[in-house]
Amino acid sequence: MSISVPPRTTARGTLSLAPDYDVEAVRADFPILQRRVGDRPLVYLDSAATSQKPVQVLDAIQAYYRESNSNVHRGAHTLGNEATELFEGARRRVSAFIDADPRGLVFTRNASESLNLVASSYARELLRPGDRIVLTLMEHHSNLVPWQLAAERAGLDLAFIGLTAEGRLDMEVAARLLTEPTRLLAVTHQSNVLGTVNPIRELAELAHRCGALIAVDACQSVPHMPVSVRDLDVDFLAFSGHKACGPMGAGVLWARPELLERMPPFLGGGSMIQRVELERSSWAEVPAKFEAGTPDVASAHGLAAACDYLDAIGRDRIHAHEQALTGHLLEVLDEAGVDIQGPREVVERGGAVSFTMGEIHPHDIATILDRQGVAIRAGHHCCQPLMRHLGTPATARASVYLYTTHSEIDALGAGLQEVGRILGPPGARG
């Protein structure tokens, strides 16, 4: 990955591309990107929903099942020991990926399960009626519904940080809400709709100042940029492996180990016990206390391989590549005359860009683009309250990742021209 990419000159000036970032070498690691959709090359612009997987991850999963498949923490035989070491090695590798203490890393099925674990075992069990949980208007349902359930069952109050006209968090409201009786702030690091990157370190300082904890949904940030739980000073952090070049079924919850010690188990059975009697049991040490049953060893091993892969390229370089792509994407969408949601400054946002196109339904946009080989997302993106705030039932969304090229952004622009020709106002149709 050593071929330099020349700067790209656009109507907005020269984009600063990441030096020595060879996107074609990266793409060669992703077999699915060689696919065609109909008679068109696949243009995959839906990485915010799930990323594609490099051959290094696919090989790691296959190697586990071919060579080391066994249950973990049970057998005294060679395969059992190998599987256990792969699983615990994955825990250490993923912890290092987010600069975290491995004693606080719990493997789950996905980020939704991670956040449900915190809502159930911390908020519902350890908070008291009248305590307040603060959320934001830009939360994904996975970081909204679990807190609603906990609030209903434990008598907690919910409050919400609103948005500015540009799609950023209203930090004046945040400062007012992060006071007594708030006990927890649950917030996304990067919006999957607006692309907004939230000031987590600043929010953590506000939360801790009033004695509250902060839980971060990092699904849209960990795969795309360097993330350190120590630098952010957060208490809980969740993300999904499948958005970070890893397999589906690999979710991560990191929590301060002392919090996991205080929290009761989330699920019972299997590896989470220390001693079981007929009428009561005691629990294994953390993080095993929160990993009931047989874990998905292959997915954990695959996620560790994904961490190796992303760090070998460098998430700072991936982030720089995506920022250049996002600037180009915003320019192409402007040329197409669509309405873009979220901040316009590339430095304040990630590479998921949502838009609407007059009266044309986003599903129709996505369907016509699919005929051009261009895959985007259309719908409410599991953010119905945010859609109502934006005054639309749905948006189209294009999202980029480490393997996206500038020519693919141009293909999206050409596809949107075709959408306008077919479904635009009569005067605009060809």
Side-chain angles (χ1 to χ4, degrees):
M1 301 167 190
S2 60
I3 301 174
S4 296
V5 180
R8 176 187 174 86
T9 301
T10 74
R12 292 181 176 176
T14 301
L15 295 172
S16 298
L17 304 187
D20 301 327
Y21 191 91
D22 185 355
V23 68
E24 292 302 331
V26 172
R27 291 175 64 82
D29 290 331
F30 292 81
I32 201 170
L33 298 180
Q34 305 305 314
R35 267 206 60 172
R36 298 180 73 85
V37 176
D39 60 350
R40 304 293 184 95
L42 169 66
V43 174
Y44 188 74
L45 297 175
D46 195 20
S47 292
T50 194
S51 71
Q52 298 303 344
K53 323 303 178 193
V55 67
Q56 291 85 346
V57 171
L58 302 177
D59 287 350
I61 296 169
Q62 185 181 66
Y64 167 74
Y65 280 121
R66 282 183 177 275
E67 300 170 13
S68 302
N69 179 51
S70 185
N71 216 321
V72 298
H73 300 305
R74 289 168 173 80
H77 52 74
T78 298
L79 293 187
N81 291 335
E82 286 181 5
T84 299
E85 177 51 34
L86 287 174
F87 185 64
E88 293 303 326
R91 191 189 312 278
R92 294 189 294 272
R93 182 63 188 91
V94 176
S95 298
F97 192 64
I98 55 173
D99 188 26
D101 184 340
R103 294 176 302 155
L105 193 131
V106 179
F107 282 118
T108 62
R109 292 180 302 165
N110 45 55
S112 296
E113 184 172 290
S114 299
L115 293 162
N116 272 277
L117 192 165
V118 181
S120 295
S121 293
Y122 179 77
R124 197 175 73 191
E125 297 292 336
L126 300 183
L127 298 185
R128 296 289 176 263
D131 287 346
R132 183 166 66 196
I133 297 175
V134 172
L135 307 165
T136 85
L137 282 186
M138 65 173 70
E139 298 309 315
H140 188 278
H141 294 167
S142 293
N143 199 31
L144 176 60
V145 177
W147 308 111
Q148 293 174 343
L149 293 172
E152 181 178 352
R153 295 174 187 178
L156 309 174
D157 294 328
L158 300 180
F160 297 88
I161 302 172
L163 308 179
T164 67
E166 295 79 24
R168 302 181 183 89
L169 287 186
D170 188 329
M171 293 302 289
E172 292 186 4
V173 175
R176 286 201 301 272
L177 289 178
L178 292 173
T179 55
E180 290 285 345
T182 295
R183 293 291 176 264
L184 183 80
L185 166 65
V187 58
T188 184
H189 194 176
Q190 180 173 304
S191 168
N192 69 318
V193 172
L194 304 171
T196 309
V197 178
N198 289 320
I200 297 300
R201 177 71 190 209
E202 183 179 352
L203 289 165
E205 290 177 0
L206 289 171
H208 292 157
R209 193 178 301 165
C210 74
L213 304 180
I214 178 170
V216 175
D217 173 358
C219 286
Q220 299 293 337
S221 60
V222 164
H224 301 278
M225 64 180 75
V227 171
S228 165
V229 298
R230 299 177 208 270
D231 289 346
L232 294 177
D233 195 24
V234 299
D235 303 290
F236 302 100
L237 182 137
F239 70 97
S240 290
H242 73 92
K243 298 180 192 292
C245 293
M248 292 186 178
V252 173
L253 169 67
W254 183 83
R256 295 188 187 279
E258 61 270 26
L259 291 171
L260 292 180
E261 295 282 3
R262 291 175 53 204
M263 293 158 54
F266 177 51
L267 300 172
S271 298
M272 50 76 71
I273 58 90
Q274 181 181 68
R275 181 181 176 86
V276 176
E277 298 179 5
L278 284 179
E279 295 184 349
R280 64 182 59 83
S281 301
S282 58
W283 317 127
E285 295 182 354
V286 299
K289 184 170 76 171
F290 294 96
E291 293 177 346
T294 297
D296 190 339
V297 184
S299 290
H301 183 49
L303 177 55
C307 294
D308 287 342
Y309 182 79
L310 294 174
D311 278 347
I313 296 173
R315 273 180 291 167
D316 51 348
R317 299 172 68 216
I318 293 170
H319 184 56
H321 175 65
E322 290 182 9
Q323 286 201 311
L325 290 167
T326 304
H328 185 188
L329 176 56
L330 292 170
E331 181 181 285
V332 164
L333 293 176
D334 276 340
E335 291 171 354
V338 305
D339 294 319
I340 298 171
Q341 304 291 345
R344 302 304 300 266
E345 294 78 10
V346 172
V347 71
E348 296 184 26
R349 62 168 304 138
V353 183
S354 296
F355 59 93
T356 54
M357 197 170 181
E359 298 300 318
I360 304 174
H361 196 284
H363 286 176
D364 294 330
I365 297 173
T367 299
I368 294 174
L369 288 175
D370 184 56
R371 295 174 185 169
Q372 315 297 313
V374 180
I376 67 164
R377 185 68 174 266
H380 54 63
H381 313 294
C382 296
C383 292
Q384 290 184 4
L386 176 58
M387 290 295 134
R388 283 190 282 275
H389 174 78
L390 298 174
T392 182
T395 69
R397 183 187 70 190
S399 53
V400 303
Y401 201 14
L402 73 166
Y403 39 66
T404 307
T405 68
H406 287 275
S407 62
E408 290 182 311
I409 302 297
D410 292 332
L412 170 65
L416 291 175
Q417 294 298 326
E418 182 68 3
V419 173
R421 186 187 69 79
I422 296 173
L423 296 177
R429 295 176 187 171

